[in-house]
Amino acid sequence: MPRQLALPGGLEHTLGPLGHGLLLTLAMTGLAFAGALVLGVLLAVCRISPVPPLRALGTAYVTVFRNIPLLVLLVLFVFGLPDVGLLFSLFATVTLTMALYWAAFVCEVLRAGIRTVPVGQAEAARALGLTAGQNIRHVILPQALRSMVQPLAGVFIGLALSTSLAAAVGVAEMTGQAEFTTLKYDQPLTTFAATTVVYVLITLTSGLVAGQIEKRVAVRR
Amino acid sequence: MHVRSRLSLTGAALAAACAISLTACGSSATLPTPKSSGGAAAPTFQQVLDAGPVAPASAIPDGSLMAKIKARGTLNVGGTDTSALFSLKDPVSGKLTGFDAGLAQLLAKYITGKAGENLVLVTADTRETLLQNGTVDTVFATYTITPARAQKVAFAGPYYSSGDAILVAKDNTSITKVDDLAGKTVCTESSSTAANDLKQYAPTAKVILFQTNAECQQAVEQGRADAYVLDQALLLGDQYRDPKVKVVGQPFTSEPYGIGVPLASPEMKAFVNDWLKQIQADGEWAKLWQATIGSVLSGSAPTPPVIGSVQGS
């Protein structure tokens, strides 16, 4: 005879908010990563371009954003922007800040990936009469992208985990909801253990997905 | 602009819900007014600590938790360092001042003979756990006594009665009482249960949690939040320091603050209660109130709540 399992009191009331927090976490992760990718590509183009001012701009950006802790940036943007008359929603402000911060890391991953392509490849392409654009599009990038998969997954995992910092500036994502739940039910260990499991699931999944992608696009040299 | 790169939550503990039927805690019918002038010379925080009593050896039996603390020479206190008037750290001197901090140091002096404490930062998420596993001997962190919490930790006290009030921007006329919070954006400190009180008193309000009092105040000033709900004494302190905000209405909850002690050491609870009675009787409690919370409120110290008068204490 299967025994009836009694749900601890308030579990159904808890899963709602925690689920909502998880959605916010996923939305922030997805949007911020998309933003970081777009901006990171632009920055990487700046950093490898032959135009010195653009190169300097890219370098300066990466230096600034990589060397300020994300929490400091978050507090600065959330409480500083309204002082200069820019009051956006918390979610928008935090997601934008994350995108700006992680773009610096994405840029460096891309730059390193491009560096992995032997110079001989570019020279050979040029010798064949390909233009610079064709060279990047058909010769360098297809090879460079392969070596970027794992480092980009690393950035993605870092970003996913760093969304928990948003709780510190008032976004009720998964960690924020866990704080709410703790205030209500006084079960911190259970609540945070459950949250931890979800974070681990997110990061493990991204690791596995990255592994699959890498297998698909592996280049045999 | 106040930037902090620390992830410690400020501790302001509050009650889950008013499952507690309190005898009307005599919250005065008018809002206490912030102090305008110094008035009579109240004793300084340091003077209050210096005058604190020390327990007779007979009060500390062998094998008790107090004896262990005395042998160790320091009291491990769970508290916060960002709560103005209750427990605030001076970034320059590193000293903690405030009502909770003062009581913690007085208790340390009562047991060990010297008014020093070893502060362990706690949050609403960690208080019970740290008491249960012995990391801290006691918790002073505007810790509201509730029956649910009393299942896990023992409460000495209550030593102070407070209540949630509302702070809004100076030019805000639409919010004057808790019912006006419906549908508004309301912020509070992440480690306070004002968030839960709001669920009960203003279920349609959108609650935002920030780490510190300063951030909540900033959010109200910048219009990110319409109102800020927290302990009335703390909000009056904000109003006193910042002309751009004001406190409206009367406290809409009653929060009895207790001193958390391990459930496994019943002798500690009795000991702390005896000490509370002693400092209330000899006027130390009132002097400490004057030196801390009384610095932003006018009038004399309130009558302390009766010890053991709250369910869970």
Side-chain angles (χ1 to χ4, degrees):
Chain A
M1 280 294 287
R3 302 246 320 267
Q4 281 290 316
L5 276 177
L7 281 181
L11 193 64
E12 58 281 3
H13 296 294
T14 310
L15 288 180
L18 282 177
H20 187 256
L22 171 62
L23 280 182
L24 265 188
T25 291
L26 293 174
M28 262 197 299
T29 307
L31 288 171
F33 190 67
L37 271 183
V38 172
L39 186 57
V41 167
L42 290 178
L43 285 168
V45 168
C46 284
R47 290 207 66 176
I48 60 171
S49 80
V51 190
L54 278 183
R55 278 213 302 273
L57 181 80
T59 311
Y61 182 98
V62 169
T63 310
V64 169
F65 277 87
R66 258 204 330 191
N67 291 301
I68 300 178
L70 179 55
L71 185 59
V72 174
L73 283 176
L74 285 171
V75 173
L76 199 62
F77 277 64
V78 167
F79 295 99
L81 287 182
D83 273 351
V84 293
L86 296 167
L87 185 65
F88 303 118
S89 80
L90 269 180
F91 178 84
T93 310
V94 169
T95 308
L96 174 76
T97 312
M98 298 238 171
L100 292 175
Y101 175 82
W102 288 104
F105 292 83
V106 169
C107 163
E108 292 306 274
V109 166
L110 300 182
R111 211 164 57 97
I114 288 166
R115 286 266 176 91
T116 61
V117 180
V119 180
Q121 298 273 334
E123 286 169 348
R126 222 174 312 157
L128 289 171
L130 297 186
T131 63
Q134 288 172 322
N135 194 342
I136 289 177
R137 223 177 18 252
H138 299 297
V139 179
I140 298 175
L141 272 188
Q143 298 185 69
L145 284 172
R146 296 180 164 91
S147 58
M148 297 175 194
V149 175
Q150 281 302 354
L152 275 180
V155 170
F156 181 85
I157 287 173
L159 190 150
L161 292 180
S162 74
T163 55
S164 61
L165 287 178
V169 288
V171 178
E173 42 62 78
M174 204 157 51
T175 302
Q177 290 289 3
E179 286 172 4
F180 267 119
T181 309
T182 301
L183 285 174
K184 198 160 178 176
Y185 299 109
D186 274 330
Q187 295 285 2
L189 291 178
T190 324
T191 312
F192 280 96
T195 323
T196 307
V197 168
V198 178
Y199 278 118
V200 169
L201 284 176
I202 294 174
T203 54
L204 280 181
T205 312
S206 20
L208 287 171
V209 169
Q212 289 301 321
I213 295 175
E214 205 179 28
K215 268 202 198 115
R216 286 265 171 85
V217 298
V219 64
R220 288 170 194 79
R221 284 208 174 107
Chain B
M1 178 59 240
H2 167 91
V3 173
R4 291 167 50 241
S5 58
R6 287 190 26 246
L7 252 179
S8 84
L9 300 179
T10 59
L14 295 155
C18 283
I20 328 159
S21 57
L22 281 167
T23 47
C25 254
S27 63
S28 53
T30 51
L31 199 64
T33 42
K35 254 208 173 81
S36 46
S37 63
T44 64
F45 185 74
Q46 195 53 48
Q47 282 169 334
V48 177
L49 292 189
D50 293 342
V54 178
S58 60
I60 302 182
D62 285 344
S64 63
L65 177 59
M66 296 80 79
K68 211 163 94 185
I69 296 163
K70 193 172 177 174
R72 194 196 302 139
T74 55
L75 177 68
N76 294 332
V77 176
T80 71
D81 58 3
T82 52
S83 182
L85 303 180
F86 283 94
S87 187
L88 185 67
K89 191 178 202 155
D90 181 326
V92 181
S93 68
K95 282 204 164 73
L96 283 167
T97 56
F99 194 65
D100 277 351
L103 281 173
Q105 289 171 53
L106 282 172
L107 180 60
K109 182 175 177 185
Y110 191 66
I111 300 175
T112 65
K114 53 184 194 302
E117 53 166 313
N118 170 32
L119 180 77
V120 178
L121 290 174
V122 296
T123 69
D125 299 325
T126 59
R127 284 181 308 219
E128 289 87 13
T129 312
L130 291 175
L131 268 174
Q132 284 169 323
N133 67 20
T135 308
V136 297
D137 306 314
T138 170
V139 169
F140 286 86
T142 53
Y143 199 2
T144 304
I145 303 171
T146 71
R149 288 174 180 167
Q151 304 278 320
K152 304 188 169 184
V153 300
F155 285 103
Y159 64 91
Y160 185 72
S161 243
S162 183
D164 289 343
I166 304 166
L167 179 125
V168 292
K170 196 80 183 175
D171 54 1
N172 183 323
T173 52
S174 64
I175 298 176
T176 54
K177 56 189 184 301
V178 71
D179 296 345
D180 300 338
L181 295 177
K184 297 277 201 300
T185 307
V186 184
C187 67
T188 183
E189 282 186 32
S190 45
S191 49
S192 82
T193 35
N196 280 326
D197 299 337
L198 280 166
K199 281 210 172 85
Q200 192 189 341
Y201 290 90
T204 55
K206 186 174 167 291
V207 180
I208 308 181
L209 297 181
F210 289 118
Q211 300 279 343
T212 62
N213 175 46
E215 288 175 355
C216 290
Q217 202 182 318
Q218 186 97 350
V220 168
E221 273 180 40
Q222 296 172 338
R224 189 179 285 292
D226 299 312
Y228 167 24
V229 167
L230 203 73
D231 177 279
Q232 192 198 28
L234 285 167
L235 295 186
L236 286 166
D238 290 342
Q239 167 183 311
Y240 174 66
R241 285 187 299 267
D242 180 358
K244 295 201 274 298
V245 295
K246 63 181 180 191
V247 181
V248 292
Q250 289 303 319
F252 56 91
T253 63
S254 183
E255 307 284 347
Y257 292 158
I259 300 165
V261 289
L263 202 51
S265 312
E267 76 280 4
M268 182 75 174
K269 176 176 168 175
F271 175 85
V272 174
N273 274 336
D274 291 344
W275 162 78
L276 267 179
K277 284 178 193 146
Q278 187 183 332
I279 60 166
Q280 286 171 359
D282 68 13
E284 276 281 295
W285 186 96
K287 284 190 192 127
L288 180 64
W289 185 92
Q290 286 289 8
T292 54
I293 302 168
S295 64
V296 296
L297 302 183
S298 61
S300 55
T303 313
V306 178
I307 289 172
S309 61
V310 177
Q311 199 189 344
S313 63

